[in-house]
Amino acid sequence: MVEGNQTEKGITRRKFTLGVMIASMAGAFASLFSLLKVLAPASKGAGYVSTIKPGDRLVYAKGGNAGSPVKASSMSLGDAVLVYPVGKTSNPANLVQLIKLNESDFKAPTKINLTDQGFVAYSAICTHLGCTVSWVKNTANPSASITECFCHNSMFDPAKGAEVIGGPAPIPIAQIGVKINGDSLVFTSDFTGPIGPQV
Ligand code: FES
């Protein structure tokens, strides 16, 4: 009887110890998993999902006329503006840089069929770490103007498919189709490649 009680107590104690060990190991695995999640880099382009659809009209993203349709006639050679698709201005992945160059300026890999009368558009999100790009107008030679990200000085050539011409950006900025409609512009395609940070 005494032996039996001792055996039952022994088994109960072993079960309890085993339970504590399993619970401890589960806790350790959970902590390790959390740590790995923190240390692992975010996946490329994470969080940048554009909702632009062909036919969406372009509106100004900044300034006193933010939200108004972009006027094609207001842009001269070497100009650029930040735009959104109308009604979809709360999604940062929809921010686009619209640029006016000469049609004859475009060289591969620019997708000419996605341009219209010198208007070309690219994502405004730098492919390095996701800052918004800026426009550096070359007043002496507007066709030589470039897109630059001042966070870490990545530079992109808008006449050559926004290929990287300097800095740490790993890939070009994706192009998106535009066309003139009256005096405004509409999008005609999705982005040609990934958008958002690609490191
Ligand atoms: S985020 Fe643009 S260069 Fe780093």
Side-chain angles (χ1 to χ4, degrees):
M1 192 65 178
V2 172
E3 276 184 10
N5 277 346
Q6 284 178 337
T7 304
E8 280 174 17
K9 279 181 187 169
I11 290 171
T12 305
R13 206 175 291 128
R14 277 200 296 277
K15 276 185 179 169
F16 176 75
T17 306
L18 189 62
V20 170
M21 282 174 64
I22 290 172
S24 304
M25 284 171 68
F29 276 124
S31 302
L32 182 63
F33 182 68
S34 302
L35 182 64
L36 288 175
K37 267 177 73 177
V38 170
L39 293 177
S43 58
K44 292 178 178 179
Y48 287 86
V49 180
S50 165
T51 52
I52 299 176
K53 295 279 180 262
D56 285 347
R57 203 190 312 188
L58 281 65
V59 296
Y60 294 105
K62 312 269 180 202
N65 52 5
S68 303
V70 173
K71 283 183 183 293
S73 60
S74 70
M75 291 181 66
S76 304
L77 177 63
D79 284 347
V81 289
L82 291 175
V83 301
Y84 274 121
V86 66
K88 300 176 182 175
T89 59
S90 60
N91 180 357
N94 289 342
L95 190 60
V96 166
Q97 189 178 47
L98 175 71
I99 299 162
K100 179 78 164 73
L101 296 174
N102 275 321
E103 270 185 296
S104 57
D105 293 331
F106 295 129
K107 296 177 180 58
T110 308
K111 299 205 166 15
I112 310 286
N113 62 319
L114 299 184
T115 71
D116 191 7
Q117 297 179 38
F119 283 96
V120 64
Y122 298 97
S123 168
I125 312 298
C126 180
T127 55
H128 180 220
L129 294 179
C131 291
T132 300
V133 297
S134 299
W135 182 242
V136 182
K137 184 171 182 176
N138 184 329
T139 47
N141 179 11
S143 292
S145 304
I146 63 166
T147 294
E148 184 162 357
C149 176
F150 291 118
C151 282
H152 312 96
N153 298 110
S154 285
M155 290 172 271
F156 307 87
D157 186 343
K160 287 188 179 174
E163 69 176 21
V164 181
I165 52 175
I171 62 170
I173 302 174
Q175 190 180 344
I176 188 168
V178 288
K179 78 171 180 192
I180 297 173
N181 183 6
D183 192 28
S184 58
L185 289 111
V186 294
F187 289 106
T188 60
S189 74
D190 198 352
F191 286 108
T192 54
I195 61 170
Q198 301 296 317
V199 294

